[in-house]
Amino acid sequence: MKADRLVATLLLLQARGRVTVREVAEELEVSERTARRDLEALTTAGVPVYSQRGRGGGWSLVGGARTDLTGFTSREIGALFLAAGPLSASPELRAALRKLMRAVPAPMRPHAEAAAKAILIDGVDWSRTAGGGGPHQHTLERAVLDGEQVRLGYAHPDRAPGERTVHPLGLVSKAGRWYLVAGTEEGLRTFRLSRVSSATRTGEPVRRPEGFDLAVAWRELAAEVEQRLTAATVWARADRDALPVLRQLLGGRLRTGEAQLDGRVEFTADGPSVEVLAAQLAGLGSRVEVLDPPEARESLVRLGRSLTAVYGGREEETRLDSHFPLGTYYTEDVSVPVMAAHHG
């Protein structure tokens, strides 16, 4: 739009002091004829811009006049570049940051440049699993902004991959993982972007629910996931040296009580089912004893029998415990795998 170009041209004049028609054309990716018309339009509008012919000439603001179009304070600019710096992989965001850098007053630029380089995001965790939004994030971002339906290929965690047409409504980042919130025939659903195998825009407009609010919708969807993740509870006790691993394994789903006379600590833990909780706790061996419910104890008995059938009897179990004491291989730098939520 012409208004956008005029503002960008004014910012360029303000940042550089003097520019040529060719420099404006290259910076704004327009023809030199368009750049000249825009500069003349600024003059017509009363902006103190003048041109000087000859060697070393160009267009300038009269008397070095300046217009602060941002209204940002130094701290606000720093916060913006600090947040946007790690996300500036998209061409649009890089272009926006360049324009904003030219718009801010010169004394603030070093602070903004430092903020933009202060944070680095490594998208691969210690287990070599890639995080982030995956290769189709940019396509989905554009579909959300343009209000366009998408034919989405998606690999569900518990069933065969499939395709469906969805109505993209927003993107949410939760703990480093990106999710698409979209309307479907079954209602609102979330799709983890790392599981999206394809994303093709259809050209059809999105049907947006009346009064849709992304923050409200996400809270409701997240509450459903949390409810599924905490559908079952076990009561157990553990050796004190098992608590760090339990905290890594269960996070906020672990609630500890007072230490008992024998030094063990009672705790309760939530999970999607007693079977899943039993499987998670089984890896700590005799350092954790599940007390209730009976179904969790029965599940552990079945797990123990199946492991004994594969690995042998008590002698083998004792030898493993002595060679691999708990804590030797525990480190806060390595995350313990946690049961993934079901989405979409």
Side-chain angles (χ1 to χ4, degrees):
M1 295 176 60
K2 183 175 181 179
D4 295 334
R5 290 201 317 271
L6 293 178
V7 171
T9 302
L10 180 56
L11 293 177
L12 191 61
L13 283 164
Q14 176 176 298
R16 298 189 183 180
R18 184 188 301 274
V19 295
T20 65
V21 170
R22 176 176 294 182
E23 288 172 342
V24 174
E26 290 177 352
E27 185 68 28
L28 303 185
E29 299 179 352
V30 297
S31 68
E32 291 189 20
R33 183 177 179 181
T34 298
R36 185 179 299 277
R37 282 203 305 263
D38 288 346
L39 287 163
E40 292 171 349
L42 287 174
T43 303
T44 303
V47 178
V49 176
Y50 74 99
S51 64
Q52 181 177 349
R53 298 181 180 276
R55 187 178 180 85
W59 293 75
S60 306
L61 288 169
V62 175
R66 302 185 64 80
T67 304
D68 183 5
L69 298 179
T70 67
F72 289 139
T73 67
S74 179
R75 293 180 65 87
E76 289 170 341
I77 290 171
L80 179 60
F81 276 87
L82 192 66
L87 305 177
S88 57
S90 72
E92 292 86 354
L93 186 51
R94 286 200 301 269
L97 291 178
R98 286 197 302 269
K99 292 177 181 178
L100 181 58
M101 186 69 75
R102 292 193 299 267
V104 301
M108 297 184 182
R109 287 178 202 155
H111 184 64
E113 290 172 349
K117 299 174 183 177
I119 293 179
L120 172 68
I121 293 180
D122 185 346
V124 179
D125 66 20
W126 295 113
S127 64
R128 311 308 302 165
T129 301
H136 304 289
Q137 180 169 353
H138 184 63
T139 298
L140 294 171
E141 287 174 351
R142 299 309 310 172
V144 169
L145 292 175
D146 296 340
E148 188 174 333
Q149 296 181 38
V150 168
R151 187 66 181 168
L152 198 71
Y154 194 72
H156 290 274
D158 57 356
R159 57 183 184 269
E163 283 192 348
R164 65 165 81 178
T165 299
V166 301
H167 298 254
L169 299 171
L171 293 167
V172 176
S173 176
K174 181 176 177 61
R177 297 185 186 276
W178 283 90
Y179 296 87
L180 171 71
V181 177
T184 70
E185 294 180 354
E186 297 82 23
L188 289 182
R189 293 290 185 271
T190 61
F191 300 88
R192 187 185 295 182
L193 265 60
S194 60
R195 293 179 181 154
V196 174
S197 57
S198 62
T200 305
R201 296 171 63 166
T202 67
E204 296 296 321
V206 161
R207 292 195 297 272
R208 194 175 186 87
E210 185 177 355
F212 175 80
D213 184 291
L214 180 60
V216 173
W218 176 255
R219 284 197 296 269
E220 294 173 352
L221 291 165
E224 294 177 8
V225 174
E226 292 289 342
Q227 188 173 9
R228 291 198 297 269
L229 286 175
T230 58
T233 302
V234 299
W235 172 40
R237 55 189 171 208
D239 293 348
R240 187 180 296 274
D241 64 355
L243 292 179
V245 175
L246 284 171
R247 292 191 180 100
Q248 281 282 83
L249 184 66
L250 300 167
R253 296 181 290 129
L254 174 73
R255 297 177 298 280
T256 57
E258 298 293 331
Q260 305 299 301
L261 294 177
D262 61 1
R264 308 190 92 190
V265 176
E266 291 193 354
F267 69 89
T268 58
D270 300 325
S273 68
V274 292
E275 291 79 11
V276 168
L277 282 166
Q280 290 179 315
L281 297 176
L284 284 86
S286 60
R287 294 177 176 87
V288 169
E289 180 186 1
V290 173
L291 305 173
D292 199 58
E295 295 84 357
R297 294 176 61 89
E298 293 166 4
S299 182
L300 283 166
V301 169
R302 290 193 296 271
L303 282 170
R305 286 173 179 165
S306 63
L307 290 172
T308 300
V310 175
Y311 298 106
R314 179 66 185 175
E315 181 181 353
E316 180 71 14
E317 177 185 339
T318 302
R319 187 162 65 253
L320 285 173
D321 278 349
S322 63
H323 280 78
F324 299 95
L326 186 68
T328 303
Y329 302 95
Y330 168 72
T331 168
E332 293 182 356
D333 291 333
V334 180
S335 15
V336 178
V338 179
M339 191 70 175
H342 169 64
H343 299 278

